[in-house]
Amino acid sequence: MAKNAAQWDSPPTFPQTHFVDSRVYTDDAIFEEEKEKLFRPSWIIACHESEIEAPFDYRLFNHPAGVPLIVVRGDDKKVRAFYNICPHRGNTILYDPAGNAKRMTCIFHQWSFDTRGNCVDISREEQGYQKRFCKADAALREVKCEVAFGGFVWINITDNCMPLREFIGGAMDILEPYMEEPMEVFHFHKARVRTNFKLWHDTNSEFYHDFLHYFNRITGMLQPGYYERRYTPFANGHATVGSMQIQYDKYEGSKERAVGWPKMAVGGWYMVDIFPGMTYNLRTSVLRIDTAIPLGPNEVLIEFRGLGLKRDTKEERKQRVFDHNMIWGPFGRNLHEDLLAVHGQGRAMHEGTGSRWVLQGREENSTIHDEVGMRHYYAEWSRRMGRPAYDPCREGKSEPVRAAA
Amino acid sequence: MQSEQRYAIEELIYRSCLALDAKDYTAFLALCDADFHYAITTYSPELRREQVWLDHDRGGMQTLFTNLPRHNSDHSPITRHATVYTVEPGTDSEVNVVSALQVFRTQLDGGATELFAVGRLHDTVRLNEDGAKLARRTVRLETRQLGYGYHVPF
Ligand code: FES
Ligand SMILES: [Fe+2]
């Protein structure tokens, strides 16, 4: 029998760890708090080292907490990151998303900065400031920056943050053997979707939705070993999913992947979800990286990267690009399906729609259709936010109203 | 070039858009030669490199069209607007055609139309006894943000 209002609004009959209140996806105040409590103290992937290969190469990145950043390789080859904000009158210093700049010069009044964040020129400095202000007073704001875990540039905008290695803990152990060789980004695109950023990360944290993907049903779900893939939770909200053998040749037009990945069995597939919104996804021939940049409670910009090996021959690279495009490219079969699903969640789940609860109640021994990946995320979310995800506005609804038999 | 030839080439480009708009893949492939090749490419200023987003021969396109109905897709129709800009002689019986392309998407509920993508069609057209056929099409996209995306190639 369908539910009435009281029944619909009453909490699910699961333990409180097994569902979340949909206001975690829709509430403005919660969203503002997430930027401060989740994103500001976390390590975030800004780009990959291959995007800034030469000295003076730079790449811009808008940090999920809102800060515009420049990631730049110095004359000494070291990668550093700075606010892309001119200390003079607050202009954007670099405008193009990537480039090579020996001097980073603000167009407004031509103050100039080097790749170490020093101000090296103030136009008519003496005349205007006499001895009251000088270049040393006009340095850029530097943020913590490390190249790690497959050559990715990790940023932290909080000075006294937890070290990156401690933040990641053992979550990358499953992937590190496959990321020893230098990689290269061959694909980049952004998708702006009207949905909450966590709904994207949730989708990357549960495989039950393989039912959404015809490709995965055919090449994965119907194949031996599928139900043995397991989730492993790690400290700080990260989780990994182990491999199975994907039978790519079961999908018409696809074939057993011709280029593999060093040390990995053909058809292998590993995933690592990093709190609060990044995913490493290594599927035989391609590593995909998602970085979620929330723009509002119901809007997210996702950056997608596809990587191959730096040493790829032309033919190998072509095959990786082909494999990537088939499922993960902007016209790929799986990506559109995933985006369509979270777009649908955004339609049904924003202020005022009447959406109340999201179930995360499946238990299957931490195997592939268990929803433990999401539960683990929301345990960390609740800890960091100081609000339980099942009751984030602390209304204390507790006893479920059961539907009449 | 004779005006009838130019007319036939333009009509081929426009018919290819009409067929794809109607998701009439049989009609679309009927406009393509046996060795037809289709690609979507774009330049990424972020990576400062060229990207290929789709790359299929005729068989690959046929398979893609067969597979698409098995997938979950956005059902809102898209409308391709092409304008043939230049037609220039290529090798032998081939001509190179550059057209402007705009793709609009219309929501099923309420019918609001939004600009979805802009770019260019770089087509190689082969002129033979049975008229003009598409030998190669490269959709050169300017737009790189496609929201929740689309399954059917532009
Ligand atoms: S605002 Fe940058 S130089 Fe004045
Ligand atoms: Fe998916």
Side-chain angles (χ1 to χ4, degrees), chain A residues 320-339:
Chain A
R320 289 192 208 283
V321 171
F322 181 89
D323 293 345
H324 175 270
N325 286 340
M326 172 160 299
I327 52 173
W328 289 342
F331 293 86
R333 255 59 93 223
N334 288 17
L335 191 76
H336 176 53
E337 288 172 335
D338 282 325
L339 289 170

Side-chain angles (χ1 to χ4, degrees), chain A residues 364-384:
Chain A
E364 292 188 59
N365 255 326
S366 294
T367 55
I368 196 75
H369 287 183
D370 196 312
E371 288 170 339
V372 63
M374 290 186 289
R375 289 196 292 275
H376 179 64
Y377 181 96
Y378 286 96
E380 176 68 7
W381 187 94
S382 303
R383 189 181 74 77
R384 289 240 222 154

Side-chain angles (χ1 to χ4, degrees), chain B residues 81-144:
Chain B
H81 286 241
T83 305
V84 174
Y85 278 0
T86 58
V87 179
E88 279 162 0
T91 49
D92 304 327
S93 58
E94 293 184 350
V95 291
N96 298 318
V97 186
V98 178
S99 313
L101 176 73
Q102 295 146 25
V103 184
F104 296 86
R105 172 154 64 182
T106 302
Q107 297 298 332
L108 286 178
D109 187 359
T113 296
E114 63 187 0
L115 180 63
F116 194 15
V118 297
R120 290 208 175 134
L121 298 176
H122 292 262
D123 290 319
T124 301
V125 173
R126 201 168 286 143
L127 301 163
N128 47 30
E129 313 79 65
D130 35 307
K133 293 267 187 206
L134 276 175
R136 273 184 300 284
R137 165 161 292 176
T138 300
V139 180
R140 182 77 180 155
L141 282 184
E142 206 60 55
T143 304
R144 284 164 290 120

Side-chain angles (χ1 to χ4, degrees), chain A residues 22-273:
Chain A
S22 23
R23 279 173 293 184
V24 304
Y25 303 112
T26 64
D27 188 271
D28 278 313
I30 290 177
F31 173 70
E32 287 307 317
E33 217 176 288
E34 283 176 319
K35 287 204 281 186
E36 291 309 304
K37 294 182 175 173
L38 307 187
F39 287 100
R40 197 165 270 279
S42 290
W43 285 91
I44 305 290
I45 293 172
C47 65
H48 186 256
E49 59 182 357
S50 63
E51 295 167 57
I52 42 168
E53 205 149 45
F56 309 110
D57 274 358
Y58 75 84
R59 184 81 173 81
L60 302 187
F61 177 66
N62 283 320
H63 189 280
V67 181
L69 295 169
I70 299 168
V71 178
V72 60
R73 192 179 290 277
D75 52 318
D76 56 354
K77 294 214 171 165
K78 191 172 151 38
V79 179
R80 297 179 181 84
F82 307 98
Y83 280 20
N84 189 11
I85 300 175
C86 180
H88 177 223
R89 282 221 301 126
N91 190 24
T92 295
I93 301 169
L94 294 175
Y95 281 57
D96 293 347
N100 184 278
K102 274 211 173 66
R103 288 274 175 272
M104 302 187 280
T105 303
C106 177
I107 61 168
F108 220 158
H109 315 90
Q110 302 279 303
W111 288 22
S112 208
F113 307 90
D114 68 15
T115 54
R116 301 181 188 211
N118 302 306
C119 177
V120 292
D121 194 32
I122 291 178
S123 319
R124 303 190 64 249
E125 179 182 350
E126 285 275 324
Q127 293 91 325
Y129 295 114
Q130 299 85 37
K131 296 277 173 264
R132 298 172 297 118
F133 184 90
C134 66
K135 292 190 271 293
D137 301 315
L140 299 181
R141 155 79 158 104
E142 186 169 4
V143 300
K144 290 199 179 290
C145 175
E146 277 188 52
V147 179
F149 302 114
F152 288 90
V153 179
W154 295 78
I155 300 290
N156 200 308
I157 57 173
T158 300
D159 283 348
N160 60 346
C161 62
M162 181 189 285
L164 175 62
R165 292 268 157 196
E166 189 184 329
F167 173 72
I168 297 293
M172 219 60 97
D173 292 358
I174 194 175
L175 267 185
E176 281 203 293
Y178 310 112
M179 299 195 299
E180 282 166 2
E181 283 197 44
M183 295 186 287
E184 187 170 68
V185 178
F186 62 75
H187 176 89
F188 178 83
H189 86 280
K190 302 184 187 194
R192 194 167 174 151
V193 188
R194 293 188 59 80
T195 199
N196 186 274
F197 75 93
K198 295 189 293 304
L199 293 165
W200 183 253
H201 197 71
D202 291 352
T203 298
N204 275 335
S205 308
E206 61 97 347
F207 275 79
Y208 186 36
H209 83 271
D210 272 344
F211 283 106
L212 165 74
H213 301 306
Y214 172 73
F215 189 91
N216 291 12
R217 290 203 305 272
I218 298 297
T219 61
M221 205 187 289
L222 297 175
Q223 307 307 323
Y226 175 81
Y227 288 100
E228 283 150 38
R229 296 185 73 192
R230 295 186 85 83
Y231 284 91
T232 310
F234 289 88
N236 301 318
H238 318 310
T240 68
V241 183
S243 188
M244 68 171 290
Q245 296 302 107
I246 300 299
Q247 309 281 310
Y248 288 103
D249 53 346
K250 302 292 180 199
Y251 180 87
E252 211 183 320
S254 174
K255 50 186 186 250
E256 185 164 287
R257 291 198 165 179
V259 278
W261 198 268
K263 298 184 192 169
M264 193 160 78
V266 179
W269 184 4
Y270 295 95
M271 259 179 105
V272 179
D273 290 308

